[in-house]
Amino acid sequence: MLDMREITLRFLDTKLQVHPDVVRYIQEQDDFGLIERIIENVPKDTIVVSAKHLPGIHPTRDGTRFLVDPEVEVVAGIAGTSGAVTGSADYLHYFRDRYSKLGGMIRSRAGSMPIEGLTKNSRYRQEECTVIGMVVEVKTTTNGHRIAEIEDTSGSVAVLFRKDRPIHEDAEKLIPDEVIGVKGKLSSDGKLFFAETLYRPDIRIDNAPYKSEQPGKAVFISDVHVGSDTFLPECWNRFADWLADNDFSYLLIAGDLVDGIGIYPGQEQELTIKNIYEQYDAFGEMMQKLPSRMKIIISPGNHDVVRGAEPQPVLPEQFTRKFPDNCVLVENPALVRLQGVRVLMYHGRSIDDMIGLIPGASYENSGLMMEEMLIRRHLAPAYGRRTPIAAGKIDRLIIDPLPEILHTGHVHIKGITTYRGVLGINAGTWQSQTKFQKQMNVNPTPALAVVVDLQTLVPETFSFA
């Protein structure tokens, strides 16, 4: 197993810096000669060695686009697809589906063997091999090492990530119920697997985003919270006027359209509209005042009048009676195509869980949380925590196929990131700081909209505060 420091120093010896993605790729290939081949072939004016300098790596799109009419196509998350949980047997199907799909992504890069075949056959003791499993539990030992129990459909094994190894940094970010692969050696007694390399489903290093061939711009917002006494109507009116003065094609709203009723204790004291129907009527009237030429794609969030468990169904008809005809209602999450550009809309409640599980994570850096979702290829990896999940026969929260844009909300703080060709957007909120946020020292970034040119996928932020 090549050491991260050893790889980096070899490039520095030739006055080259190297991108972390390239270091990880070389580690996975476990081929020191690859470093020399890269160094020999990089152009003389290169400063940072990136994925484009890897031999044999060419930009590849995830799937083919077939453009249809209309130019907004709901690929996943149309009304009625969220389904109901019919019994405890669905949980078995749910986790097997997650393991099968995410494990398959890892298996395409690293061969593996069943855990039971490894632990019950003495011939593999202290021989290098790879296993793929779902994290059952992870903890830190008194000596500072990390131990994770992982399981597949055949059995389970304890995996040790030693603190004196480069892999320990990745192991600190392990989340229960995520699917990983580990390369290493089994102890002589067959009870402990010593990890040297950690694989996650991740995005291919050669992923290239699709870009529209036709002009078009999309506006991204979330967390409007109509009905709250901290909703910002004057800012919204400036935003509406701005939309009328510009030629945008799409508006995407990622949940929490209204503040809701009974979401938290004492909420009724912070509402200007105390009737849930009237909240949605007010939101619908706001949508009617927006340009009718735009397509408005709307998904729900945890404040909306649908079940809390994800995936969440579309808003019921009795609450959308005042929504204009140019509104497209989708579930949470939903995958839509705008002129061929795939946008994955997810309100983002799981960010609460990830912040509590990943060292150094914070609400101020929602971009990092979107990257962690993409690395794990899952919107809500940790099961049974603050994010309720309706376990159906398939796991609808797996990120497959890859989008060009991941659109989230929930945290009320702007975050924009780009990870291996996928643009992550969290546009903040249309609500000023609430009493709860003040207690938690959370400072929202209200009245922002992010515009993306679908021909370039370049984001631009506009403020209406």
Side-chain angles (χ1 to χ4, degrees):
M1 172 61 188
L2 298 179
D3 184 271
M4 185 183 301
R5 187 177 298 118
E6 182 182 13
I7 296 170
T8 305
L9 287 176
R10 179 65 190 99
F11 282 102
L12 289 175
D13 285 344
T14 59
K15 299 183 179 180
L16 289 169
Q17 298 180 48
V18 59
H19 194 279
D21 284 349
V22 175
V23 175
R24 183 177 294 278
Y25 179 82
I26 294 171
Q27 283 186 300
E28 291 183 359
Q29 300 303 308
D30 202 17
D31 178 8
F32 194 83
L34 177 59
I35 303 174
E36 303 304 320
R37 294 196 296 275
I38 295 171
I39 292 172
E40 289 173 5
N41 290 288
V42 294
K44 290 184 179 180
D45 59 348
T46 300
I47 298 174
V48 179
V49 177
S50 62
K52 67 181 180 181
H53 298 115
L54 293 171
I57 295 294
H58 305 288
T60 304
R61 287 182 183 144
D62 184 57
T64 304
R65 307 298 196 277
F66 298 95
L67 300 184
V68 298
D69 186 32
E71 292 183 329
V72 175
E73 179 191 5
V74 183
V75 180
I78 61 173
T81 57
S82 59
V85 179
T86 57
S88 59
D90 281 352
Y91 287 83
L92 179 61
H93 291 293
Y94 174 83
F95 284 109
R96 282 188 172 176
D97 184 64
R98 178 188 293 198
Y99 170 77
S100 175
K101 290 176 180 174
L102 297 181
M105 296 177 191
I106 298 171
R107 203 168 285 111
S108 66
R109 308 194 327 264
S112 65
M113 64 184 304
I115 290 176
E116 185 180 48
L118 171 69
T119 57
K120 294 192 175 180
N121 192 330
S122 59
R123 62 174 289 195
Y124 294 109
R125 306 288 164 84
Q126 297 182 308
E127 284 191 16
E128 188 172 82
C129 56
T130 301
V131 292
I132 296 172
M134 184 178 293
V135 177
V136 178
E137 183 184 21
V138 59
K139 58 187 178 182
T140 302
T141 69
T142 54
N143 294 326
H145 306 300
R146 293 282 276 175
I147 290 184
E149 180 188 355
I150 68 171
E151 66 176 3
D152 63 11
T153 55
S154 69
S156 63
V157 66
V159 181
L160 177 68
F161 302 88
R162 288 174 287 188
K163 67 178 181 181
D164 59 342
R165 299 285 187 173
I167 194 177
H168 187 264
E169 184 178 349
D170 279 342
E172 285 188 309
K173 296 181 180 180
L174 284 174
I175 290 177
D177 306 313
E178 71 167 304
V179 177
I180 62 170
V182 284
K183 180 193 287 186
K185 296 179 181 179
L186 190 67
S187 62
S188 57
D189 60 6
K191 295 181 178 180
L192 194 61
F193 191 86
F194 296 97
E196 292 292 344
T197 305
L198 174 62
Y199 301 95
R200 285 190 167 97
D202 217 332
I203 300 174
R204 288 170 56 100
I205 197 170
D206 58 356
N207 177 58
Y210 177 89
K211 298 175 182 178
S212 174
E213 297 176 358
Q214 303 297 326
K217 291 186 178 181
V219 182
F220 295 83
I221 64 171
S222 69
D223 297 86
V224 185
H225 288 276
V226 172
S228 167
D229 62 4
T230 52
F231 171 62
L232 301 168
E234 293 181 359
C235 297
W236 179 269
N237 291 337
R238 285 194 287 271
F239 171 62
D241 291 341
W242 174 75
L243 289 179
D245 293 339
N246 288 275
D247 189 22
F248 300 125
S249 304
Y250 314 97
L251 172 64
L252 295 89
I253 309 175
D256 281 3
L257 317 179
V258 302
D259 207 49
I261 303 289
I263 305 299
Y264 55 87
Q267 184 187 19
E268 65 277 4
Q269 304 301 320
E270 300 174 12
L271 294 175
T272 58
I273 305 176
K274 299 182 185 295
N275 181 290
I276 189 65
Y277 290 93
E278 292 177 4
Q279 287 185 11
Y280 280 103
D281 285 350
F283 178 83
E285 290 169 359
M286 288 163 49
M287 295 300 103
Q288 290 177 20
K289 294 177 182 178
L290 301 182
S292 59
R293 56 180 162 72
M294 297 179 66
K295 285 290 186 182
I296 305 174
I297 301 98
I298 298 173
S299 64
N302 59 296
H303 277 250
D304 287 302
V305 65
V306 292
R307 74 181 186 196
E310 299 174 356
Q312 294 179 290
V314 300
L315 294 170
E317 289 183 8
Q318 62 265 39
F319 296 96
T320 62
R321 57 194 176 188
K322 291 197 175 181
F323 286 27
D325 293 338
N326 59 324
C327 287
V328 179
L329 303 180
V330 297
E331 297 185 342
N332 172 42
L335 181 68
V336 299
R337 276 205 291 244
L338 311 178
Q339 300 174 193
V341 175
R342 290 194 290 228
V343 180
L344 178 57
M345 301 176 68
Y346 174 59
H347 180 61
R349 192 171 183 181
S350 69
I351 295 175
D352 292 334
D353 293 328
M354 297 178 76
I355 287 173
L357 292 167
I358 297 176
S362 69
Y363 287 103
E364 285 71 26
N365 194 351
S366 57
L368 175 62
M369 295 300 95
M370 288 185 278
E371 289 185 19
E372 296 293 346
M373 292 177 187
L374 293 167
I375 289 170
R376 292 164 177 79
R377 296 293 291 272
H378 203 283
L379 295 170
Y383 187 87
R385 295 178 183 266
R386 294 176 64 180
T387 307
I389 296 174
K393 291 188 176 180
I394 61 172
D395 188 349
R396 288 266 319 279
L397 300 174
I398 292 172
I399 303 176
D400 185 39
L402 275 175
E404 274 69 50
I405 301 171
L406 172 59
H407 178 206
T408 65
H410 187 62
V411 297
H412 291 207
I413 297 175
K414 174 196 166 186
I416 296 180
T417 188
T418 300
Y419 178 72
R420 294 192 177 183
V422 177
L423 172 64
I425 297 172
N426 192 312
T429 181
W430 292 87
Q431 184 181 36
S432 62
Q433 189 181 47
T434 64
K435 292 180 180 179
F436 176 74
Q437 289 172 337
K438 189 174 293 186
Q439 292 172 358
M440 300 299 293
N441 198 29
V442 173
N443 296 300
T445 55
L448 299 177
V450 177
V451 177
V452 176
D453 186 325
L454 299 177
Q455 289 186 298
T456 64
L457 299 185
V458 174
E460 189 175 2
T461 304
F462 296 84
S463 175
F464 303 91

